[in-house]
Amino acid sequence: MTYRQSRRSDRPSPVTVLTTVAAALIAGAALGGALHATGNLRTVAGVYGLEGVVNEWTLVFCHSLVAGGPFVAIITRLSRGRRVPSPLAESYRSPFLCACVGLSYGVVLWAAIVAYTAPFVLGFITGDTYPVPFHHWGSFYALLLFGAVFGAWYPLLRSFFDERR
């Protein structure tokens, strides 16, 4: 009796990594542009005690790379689920459906990081008190845009890189 190794692995494929990085950089540019347009780009570096345009944009792109990984994991999990509604399962292939999931992801990011975690961290660092939830609407719009752009570009880039294999 022979046993074959399962094709399904827990490690992402090189195409998935490449697609995630490319989509994160595009969405990071949109995130940084929205933060710049609302006058909130300085706050990203300010949280870390840094100044300067290079630091601001570097942190925006690093944050977008970090936020892109869980989004891809969610989309991949939805596409493989048996009891997932078909629009969510097909969001892996559709730019529109994936952008809708990305909008939801942007709301979750804002609520988890900006509205609830940031006031506690900033209060711990500075000793000041911040309201919980913290209503920072510039970052809300920027994270909505990040989620939508990442969600729209991920399926497009995925199919592009899959065709190049």
Side-chain angles (χ1 to χ4, degrees), residues 5 11 34 36 51 59 63 66 68 92 96 107 127 140 142 160:
Q5 185 176 1
R11 288 182 285 157
H36 178 73
E51 293 179 0
L59 287 170
H63 288 159
V66 169
Y92 191 74
F96 174 75
V107 170
F140 178 73
F160 175 78

Side-chain angles (χ1 to χ4, degrees), residues 7-21 72-73 76 80 92 154 157-159 161-162 165:
R7 289 182 160 231
R8 184 176 164 195
S9 67
D10 292 335
R11 288 182 285 157
S13 71
V15 171
T16 302
V17 173
L18 179 63
T19 305
T20 303
V21 169
V72 171
T76 304
R80 293 181 182 162
Y92 191 74
Y154 184 78
L157 291 170
R158 178 74 187 207
S159 65
F161 290 130
D162 275 341
R165 264 180 164 187

Side-chain angles (χ1 to χ4, degrees), residues 80-160:
R80 293 181 182 162
R82 283 188 241 170
R83 294 186 176 98
V84 176
S86 67
L88 288 177
E90 292 300 316
S91 65
Y92 191 74
R93 294 182 187 95
S94 168
F96 174 75
L97 294 174
C98 200
C100 291
V101 174
L103 281 172
S104 301
Y105 185 68
V107 170
V108 170
L109 281 177
W110 180 82
I113 295 170
V114 176
Y116 289 99
T117 303
F120 292 115
V121 172
L122 291 174
F124 181 74
I125 292 171
T126 64
D128 295 335
T129 58
Y130 293 91
V132 177
F134 186 65
H135 297 283
H136 192 266
W137 297 115
S139 62
F140 178 73
Y141 302 130
L143 286 171
L144 281 179
L145 182 64
F146 169 80
V149 169
F150 192 97
W153 276 97
Y154 184 78
L156 295 172
L157 291 170
R158 178 74 187 207
S159 65
F160 175 78

Side-chain angles (χ1 to χ4, degrees), residues 20 23-25 27-29 31-32 35 40-48 50 55-71 105 109 113-114 143 146 150:
T20 303
L25 292 177
L31 173 67
L35 288 173
N40 294 312
L41 188 59
R42 286 185 177 174
T43 59
V44 175
V47 169
Y48 296 97
L50 301 172
N55 290 329
E56 293 165 357
W57 281 98
T58 301
L59 287 170
V60 165
F61 285 122
C62 288
H63 288 159
S64 67
L65 287 169
V66 169
F71 180 77
Y105 185 68
L109 281 177
I113 295 170
V114 176
L143 286 171
F146 169 80
F150 192 97

